[in-house]
Amino acid sequence: MDLMVSLGIWLFVMTLFLVDTEITLRFVGRYADPHLRLGWWTALLLVPWVTLLLSPLRTWAAAGLALAVAWGLVRHAAAYRALRRRLPGAPEGVVERVRALAREFGVRQLPEILYDPSDRMEPAAVGLFRPALVLTPSALDLPEQDFRAVVAHELAHALRRDPLRLWAGGITGAVLGWHPLIRRACRLFTLEVEMAADWQAAAWAGDRRAYALALGRWGLRRHGDHGSPVGAAFATAPAHLLPRLHYLLDPTAAAPHLRPPLGLRDPGPGRRGSGAARWAHLALAAAYTALSAVMTRVF
């Protein structure tokens, strides 16, 4: 089969998949927990790769993916080594303070804790496979309630392996981000990673409103490098901060970044259970993967 025809089929099927899946999510997932919605965005980023690797474009797709992964790992390793050379381990008093909070949260295994004495970074979880926490003088000087929020959020990122999730999403964005719907899916995948960490951290902190206020205060006072290139920071881009705050302050409301298209009426939480949010993306992924394979064979 001509490679241009194969590319055209892939573009057609993937555009249908991306539109269909996101519209479905806007109806069945508006009131679902963030970790359930994260599964949808993961499918939106995985299915394009799966269909490419099963198509006549597989050689080019595999080569592009391998090069992107290799380059991404090299860049990450270089940035992480530079970070580790620059940042010492946290003082013992800081480690004990964080350990006490982790024990309160029910976290048994504490990640390594690094310290940025220059106060240039954001509190963050860094490292792909064994995430470490980065704390700063500004974070340590926060009121205790705000410090609890920072530690809870970064512990959630570290235990959920979110730096690896964000890195993998970045690889997809770098290679396939020329497709506007995939680029949008990468952006919303990042938002859902943060919202899922907020969900866990607010449960640990015990006061969702206090956690949201701490997040908002930190977002207003952000400074320096605005995060780490090798991890997940507490306060992300302002465009992501507002929906996070909205959702934290009213967790029973619909996700603010998912509205029914074309002004259609919101079905409400009682009209769509979370059951469909748990499995419908898997059915859509399987159906469109099969459709792509069939169309590739027919044409």
Side-chain angles (χ1 to χ4, degrees), residues 3-299:
L3 291 181
M4 292 305 295
V5 174
S6 297
L7 180 60
I9 291 173
W10 180 83
L11 279 172
F12 173 72
V13 175
M14 282 304 96
T15 300
L16 284 180
F17 167 71
L18 293 162
V19 171
D20 190 6
T21 304
E22 184 171 339
I23 289 176
T24 304
L25 177 60
R26 287 171 179 270
F27 283 101
V28 305
R30 293 200 75 202
Y31 297 90
D33 293 349
H35 69 274
L36 290 179
R37 292 198 304 269
L38 187 56
W40 285 72
W41 298 112
T42 301
L44 281 164
L45 299 186
L46 279 178
V47 170
W49 281 117
V50 172
T51 51
L52 274 175
L53 293 172
L54 293 177
S55 75
L57 299 166
R58 64 178 66 90
T59 302
W60 292 98
L65 179 59
L67 286 172
V69 169
W71 177 241
L73 287 173
V74 168
R75 288 188 61 201
H76 172 84
Y80 189 66
R81 281 197 300 269
L83 190 69
R84 293 302 300 258
R85 285 196 298 267
R86 185 165 67 89
L87 301 184
E92 186 60 29
V94 174
V95 175
E96 287 302 319
R97 189 179 175 190
V98 175
R99 182 176 288 117
L101 287 175
R103 192 179 303 118
E104 184 181 337
F105 298 155
V107 176
R108 296 182 179 180
Q109 188 171 359
L110 187 67
E112 183 180 4
I113 302 173
L114 305 177
Y115 183 65
D116 178 21
S118 68
D119 211 14
R120 295 179 59 201
M121 291 183 61
E122 292 280 327
V126 299
L128 295 184
F129 305 109
R130 295 181 62 187
L133 303 189
V134 176
L135 294 177
T136 65
S138 292
L140 296 174
D141 289 339
L142 291 170
E144 184 60 25
Q145 194 172 51
D146 289 14
F147 182 72
R148 283 171 58 88
V150 169
V151 171
H153 184 83
E154 298 312 330
L155 276 176
H157 274 315
L159 295 180
R160 290 167 45 81
R161 298 284 194 269
D162 284 340
L164 181 59
R165 294 175 193 260
L166 295 173
W167 177 85
I171 293 295
T172 297
V175 180
L176 301 180
W178 49 269
H179 193 300
L181 295 179
I182 295 178
R183 187 166 62 248
R184 171 183 168 79
C186 289
R187 186 173 68 252
L188 291 176
F189 173 81
T190 300
L191 173 58
E192 294 288 6
V193 167
E194 292 297 335
M195 293 180 79
D198 286 336
W199 185 271
Q200 178 63 76
W204 282 339
D207 187 333
R208 187 174 296 274
R209 181 177 177 82
Y211 175 87
L213 292 175
L215 175 62
R217 283 192 292 267
W218 186 266
L220 290 174
R221 63 178 289 176
R222 295 180 69 207
H223 64 285
D225 287 343
H226 302 290
S228 166
V230 293
F234 181 48
T236 51
H240 286 178
L241 189 58
L242 290 177
R244 290 170 63 190
L245 290 173
H246 185 281
Y247 194 65
L248 283 165
L249 291 171
D250 187 2
T252 63
H257 57 292
L258 294 175
R259 296 184 176 86
L262 304 176
L264 296 176
R265 183 173 176 271
D266 185 346
R271 301 289 298 279
R272 295 288 190 276
S274 62
R278 292 180 183 276
W279 59 262
H281 61 294
L282 300 177
L284 287 166
Y288 279 96
T289 300
L291 176 62
S292 176
V294 170
M295 290 189 67
T296 297
R297 289 183 177 277
V298 169
F299 294 98

